[in-house]
Amino acid sequence: TAGITQAPTSQILAAGRSMTLRCTQDMRHNAMYWYRQDLGLGLRLIHYSNTAGTTGKGEVPDGYSVSRANTDDFPLTLASAVPSQTSVYFCASRAGGQVTDTQYFGPGTRLTVL
Amino acid sequence: QQPVQSPQAVILREGEDAVINCSSSKALYSVHWYRQKHGEAPVFLMILLKGGEQKGHEKISASFNEKKQQSSLYLTASQLSYSGTYFCGTADRGSTLGRLYFGRGTQLTVWP
């Protein structure tokens, strides 16, 4: 069972370049999320999508964009990367918006912006 | 809306007990606990729902006190495999369709 896959596993990116982090889930979950994790700050929500075709901003959306063309895929794009976007990025999904729904995380993408 | 976890770090000997707390300033509907090993993704442990129920996972259990807007994670007779960072995620009245807010984590180290 794949669950959630993310690509690439890690990436070194020059500042000013653009990049798309890929996230795919095979659980037919409606809700999907992108978090960044930085030492001492925990998991901070970048963008979310409650269902295909809709997206919303989280706590730290600046410099990032997302799309949700279908249920399975939720790519995160950095239009012009800056060093402060160096982080570990986790994609996550939940079946729906119920408080009883378990949230599952992908394996993460480690991004370094130089 | 980010919950506050305490302590920030715990160091234990194998077999010792620990308690990790998660507090919110908002009325909570549910608390979700996760454990993350170094270099890996957070792994779901359990959900605590409004109603004060207590749950268990192996020798790890948790409680949810609605009045105090707090949840506690109890690790009994710690094993080496319990080492990692523990996060609580909370869903409160203001959560957008069940969105979770995560604490900054508690780093647990168990020594032999």
Side-chain angles (χ1 to χ4, degrees), chain B residues 28-31 48-53 64 66 93:
Chain B
L28 298 176
Y29 283 156
S30 67
V31 180
L48 281 299
L49 302 177
K50 186 178 175 182
E53 67 178 297
F64 182 14
E66 293 167 56
R93 198 181 300 275

Side-chain angles (χ1 to χ4, degrees), chain A residues 14-98:
Chain A
R17 300 295 292 268
S18 66
M19 176 164 188
T20 295
L21 308 184
R22 300 185 298 278
C23 174
T24 300
Q25 52 103 359
D26 63 2
M27 297 176 282
R28 307 302 295 172
H29 284 175
N30 285 320
M32 296 187 74
Y33 309 87
W34 273 106
Y35 295 88
R36 60 176 292 172
Q37 185 175 40
D38 304 288
L39 193 63
L41 297 180
L43 294 154
R44 293 184 293 168
L45 184 66
I46 304 171
H47 284 287
Y48 65 92
S49 170
N50 290 320
T51 188
T54 68
T55 62
K57 294 182 179 180
E59 305 162 63
V60 289
D62 294 342
Y64 305 96
S65 64
V66 292
S67 62
R68 186 86 184 279
N70 57 60
T71 298
D72 300 342
D73 301 300
F74 190 42
L76 176 73
T77 298
L78 290 70
S80 179
V82 295
S84 61
Q85 291 178 309
T86 293
S87 187
V88 180
Y89 292 85
F90 287 103
C91 179
S93 72
R94 296 172 78 188
Q98 302 303 314

Side-chain angles (χ1 to χ4, degrees), chain B residues 5-40:
Chain B
Q5 286 186 235
S6 63
Q8 288 185 325
V10 183
I11 299 175
L12 298 172
R13 288 288 184 184
E14 205 172 4
E16 293 181 338
D17 302 337
V19 179
I20 299 171
N21 298 307
C22 174
S23 299
S24 175
S25 59
K26 300 256 183 180
L28 298 176
Y29 283 156
S30 67
V31 180
H32 304 232
W33 285 98
Y34 290 81
R35 177 170 62 205
Q36 184 179 29
K37 301 278 188 177
H38 183 69
E40 299 180 6

